[in-house]
Amino acid sequence: MAHQVPVPDAKVALSTASVYPENTAAAFAIAGQLGYDGVEVMVWTDPVSQDVDALRDLSERHGIPVLAVHAPCLLVTQRVWGTDPWRKLLRAREAAGRLGASTVVVHPPFRWQRTYARDFVRGIRRLGDESGVAFAVENMYPWRYRDRELLAYSPGWDPTEEEYPAFTLDVSHTATSRSDTLAMADRMGERLGHVHIADGSGSGKDEHLIPGRGSQPCAALLERLAATGYTGHVVVEVNTRRAASPEARRADLAEALAFTRLHLATAPPAVNHGAGGGTR
C-alpha cells in the first residue's frame, strides 16, 4: 500500500513585500500564477496597498484571498494612514474585516513612541476582543551598531515576554536576534497563529533569505508545525530585490513555496511541543 502523506490545514501565503521592487498588484498576479493560497498585504507606501477597494478588486480578479494585513508600523511607513499608531491599527482591523482576512500583523512600538508603548499590551488585547480579527505581535530583534546593541522596541523585541493573545513568528528575525527559533516557537505555544517563513545566516542583518539558503531550522519548524496540528498561516516573506530579472524573482518565490509545502507535508511523528495551535 502506498504511503499517504498528510495534507496540512495551514495555508501558505505570499507577502506582498516579497516581490519588491515590483508592486502590490504584481504580488497578487504572482501568487495566483505560482499557486499560493493567498497573500498577506504589507501596507506601505504603494498607494494600492492602502486602498481596500483596490485590494478587493485584485483579490477577485486573481482568485487570491487576502489572509492577513500587515499594519504600517515600519520606519518607512510612519506616515502611512496618518501618524497616530492606534488609528493605524484600527484602519488595519477595518481593512482585514472588509477583505475577509483573519489576522493583523503588528510590531511592538518603537521606544520613542512612549504613550503608545505604555498601553500597547492592554490595547492589543482590547482590539482583538472587540472583533474576530487576531492581532498577532511579531518578534523583532535588537538593533546593532558596531559592538553595541540598541534596544529600539518597547516593551521589548521579544513578544513572548508579554501576555499577548497571539504571536507572529518571523524566522529571519530570530536569525537577526540570534535566538533559538524552535525554543521561541515553544514559548509562543498555542498562541502562535502566524508564521513568516524566511531564512537568515545569523549575521545580525535582517536578511529574509529564501528558506533553505541560510542557517535557520526552517524545515524543522515547518515539520513541527504540521506534527502539532498547526492551523494558522505560513507566509513567505523573503527579500528578492536582488533578483536579476522578474523571471528570476518568480523562480525564487516558486522555490520558497515548494520548500514550504514539502516540509509542511513531511512531518515527523507527533510530539508534545507547544507550537501549533493557531489563534482561532
Side-chain angles (χ1 to χ4, degrees):
M1 180 180 296
H3 176 67
Q4 292 185 339
V5 177
V7 178
D9 292 330
K11 292 182 178 180
V12 182
L14 178 66
S15 168
T16 60
S18 296
V19 309
Y20 183 82
E22 295 186 65
N23 59 23
T24 302
F28 278 86
I30 293 168
Q33 292 162 4
L34 297 181
Y36 280 85
D37 297 318
V39 299
E40 174 180 307
V41 173
M42 172 68 79
V43 180
W44 69 302
T45 55
D46 179 354
V48 171
S49 74
Q50 305 171 32
D51 186 331
V52 175
D53 290 333
L55 293 170
R56 190 160 50 190
D57 288 346
L58 286 168
S59 177
E60 293 173 356
R61 185 187 317 159
H62 296 285
I64 291 294
V66 177
L67 302 181
V69 173
H70 195 308
C73 45
L74 306 174
L75 280 175
V76 296
T77 60
Q78 289 297 288
R79 295 188 178 277
V80 172
W81 283 353
T83 57
D84 181 343
W86 288 116
R87 179 60 183 159
K88 290 172 182 278
L89 297 190
L90 288 171
R91 289 193 66 172
R93 186 177 69 181
E94 178 186 1
R98 290 179 60 191
L99 293 166
S102 63
T103 303
V104 169
V105 178
V106 60
H107 294 179
F110 294 111
R111 292 186 70 85
W112 55 84
Q113 296 175 305
R114 292 185 179 88
T115 303
Y116 177 46
R118 191 177 303 124
D119 193 44
F120 184 70
V121 178
R122 292 187 299 272
I124 285 294
R125 182 175 294 278
R126 184 169 61 247
L127 286 173
D129 288 345
E130 291 170 355
S131 69
V133 176
F135 279 76
V137 182
E138 185 172 354
N139 61 297
M140 299 305 291
Y141 46 84
W143 293 1
R144 294 186 176 91
Y145 178 71
R146 297 182 178 175
D147 295 330
R148 296 178 58 192
E149 283 194 354
L150 306 176
L151 301 180
Y153 299 98
S154 179
W157 60 263
D158 182 352
T160 66
E161 296 178 351
E162 305 294 334
E163 290 300 316
Y164 298 116
F167 296 114
T168 295
L169 175 61
D170 186 302
V171 183
S172 178
H173 293 176
T174 58
T176 308
S177 64
R178 297 168 185 163
S179 304
D180 183 322
T181 300
L182 300 180
M184 183 170 285
D186 282 344
R187 293 197 302 276
M188 290 179 172
E190 294 295 315
R191 290 177 288 167
L192 172 57
H194 203 73
V195 171
H196 284 167
I197 193 70
D199 216 330
S201 67
S203 68
K205 297 180 180 179
D206 187 18
E207 298 168 299
H208 286 275
L209 304 176
I210 303 299
R213 296 187 187 177
S215 61
Q216 297 307 294
C218 295
L221 173 65
L222 293 167
E223 291 166 8
R224 181 181 294 191
L225 292 175
T228 53
Y230 178 77
T231 57
H233 304 137
V234 178
V235 179
V236 171
E237 190 183 77
V238 293
N239 184 343
T240 64
R241 69 186 64 185
R242 294 186 179 180
S245 65
E247 293 73 24
R249 177 170 296 110
R250 284 153 180 75
D252 283 345
L253 297 174
E255 177 185 331
L257 176 61
F259 180 100
T260 302
R261 290 208 191 281
L262 172 66
H263 291 288
L264 279 174
T266 56
V271 289
N272 187 25
H273 288 295
T279 59
R280 300 187 62 193

